């Protein structure tokens, strides 16, 4: 099912280049990028140390009914972390815009096309759900829970994530904690455009040094990686340096081009997929 070109990389993507927005449905616009090269960089080979999902929300989805009348919806896409590929976000936007003049029988026809095309690009099944305008009023907002790291008065000198900063006190009793920061910022690996996010870290284990963790997270400020890769880097670094028994990392990024991307990674089976509540910055 995986039809991705293994030579795909950020510098060969349409990101950061002038693009003619298509008015004809075209699944070939989707640009998959293999996950494994970045995981190799982290030393993650063989069995993944986590499971999880990338939750995409698309707020600019439109198509035509058979009489030519525009239809709109909010779409949610669930892409499993063990899929071979991520989908580059600008190509995702161009693909969604290719439906703008496409005549379809109904929503089910749109969902079927989306599932087929996105699953082929991701190399694994992608779950698609649509929210109609009549249900928009039922959508809710909510903030990530947890002890706010941003309350700490720290001095920051690192502008790239340094896992050596991370530590936990293994002389203290095991705790279960959820820590939260709204200060996550990374950059697009091609254009350098900023990606803003909030990150929630839930763990069971020795207490993590919170000041060091906040410094580490702020260290992403000039780091160039896609959203999914940043979350996996955070997960792997905390797991290796702090050795918690259980760990889950969830980031909610602000939208760009009508899309937001919200990766979640966990290593304990009792963990449930997180809520997809949109936060104030989204």
């Amino acid at each position: 099912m995986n039809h991705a070109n293994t030579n795909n990389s950020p510098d060969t993507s349409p990101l950061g280049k002038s693009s003619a927005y298509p008015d004809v449905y075209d699944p070939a616009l989707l640009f998959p990028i293999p996950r494994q090269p970045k995981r190799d960089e982290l030393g993650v080979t063989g069995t993944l140390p986590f499971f999880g999902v990338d939750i995409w929300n698309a707020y600019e989805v439109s198509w035509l009914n058979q009489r030519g009348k525009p239809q709109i919806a909010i779409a949610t896409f669930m892409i499993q972390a063990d899929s071979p590929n991520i989908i580059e976000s600008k190509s995702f936007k161009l693909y969604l815009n290719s439906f703008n003049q496409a005549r379809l029988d109904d929503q089910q026809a749109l969902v079927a096309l989306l599932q087929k095309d996105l699953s082929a690009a991701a190399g694994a099944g992608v779950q698609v759900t649509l929210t109609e305008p009549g249900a928009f009023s039922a959508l809710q907002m909510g903030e990530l829970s947890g002890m706010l790291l941003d309350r700490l008065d720290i001095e920051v000198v690192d502008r790239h994530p340094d896992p050596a900063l991370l530590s936990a006190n293994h002389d203290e009793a095991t705790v279960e904690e959820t820590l939260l920061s709204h200060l996550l910022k990374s950059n697009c690996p091609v254009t350098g455009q900023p990606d803003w996010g909030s990150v929630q870290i839930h763990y069971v284990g020795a207490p993590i040094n919170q000041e060091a963790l906040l410094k580490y997270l702020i260290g992403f400020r000039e780091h160039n990686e896609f959203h999914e890769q940043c979350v996996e880097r955070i997960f792997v670094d905390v797991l290796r340096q702090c050795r918690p028994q259980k760990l889950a990392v969830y980031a909610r990024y602000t939208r760009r081009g009508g899309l937001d991307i919200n990766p979640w990674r966990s290593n304990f089976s009792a963990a449930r997929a997180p809520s997809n509540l949109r936060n104030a910055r989204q």
Side-chain angles (χ1 to χ4, degrees), residues 67-102:
R67 301 187 65 188
K69 181 181 177 182
Q71 310 293 299
I72 64 167
I74 295 173
T76 298
F77 310 99
M78 309 282 279
I79 304 176
Q80 296 301 314
D82 60 0
S83 63
N85 308 312
I86 63 175
I87 301 174
E88 190 273 314
S89 60
K90 183 172 182 180
S91 77
F92 206 137
K93 176 180 173 60
L94 293 173
Y95 164 74
L96 291 176
N97 273 281
S98 78
F99 283 95
N100 288 348
Q101 301 302 325

Side-chain angles (χ1 to χ4, degrees), residues 210-229:
Q210 294 184 13
E211 289 192 1
L213 177 58
L214 180 58
K215 290 180 181 180
Y216 165 81
L217 294 173
I218 293 174
F220 279 82
R221 201 161 181 86
E222 292 189 5
H223 185 69
N224 299 325
E225 272 186 329
F226 292 124
H227 306 63
E228 302 93 329
Q229 296 162 349

Side-chain angles (χ1 to χ4, degrees), residues 175-241:
V175 297
E176 180 170 5
E177 291 185 330
T178 302
L179 305 176
L180 173 67
S181 176
H182 299 299
L183 302 183
L184 180 62
K185 173 195 170 288
S186 53
N187 301 315
C188 165
V190 175
T191 66
Q193 288 182 307
D195 294 318
W196 306 93
S198 298
V199 60
Q200 179 191 65
I201 298 174
H202 180 88
Y203 73 97
V204 175
I208 291 176
N209 182 320
Q210 294 184 13
E211 289 192 1
L213 177 58
L214 180 58
K215 290 180 181 180
Y216 165 81
L217 294 173
I218 293 174
F220 279 82
R221 201 161 181 86
E222 292 189 5
H223 185 69
N224 299 325
E225 272 186 329
F226 292 124
H227 306 63
E228 302 93 329
Q229 296 162 349
C230 288
V231 168
E232 292 187 2
R233 184 175 296 275
I234 294 169
F235 183 97
V236 170
D237 286 347
V238 172
L239 187 67
R240 286 179 178 156
Q241 299 295 118

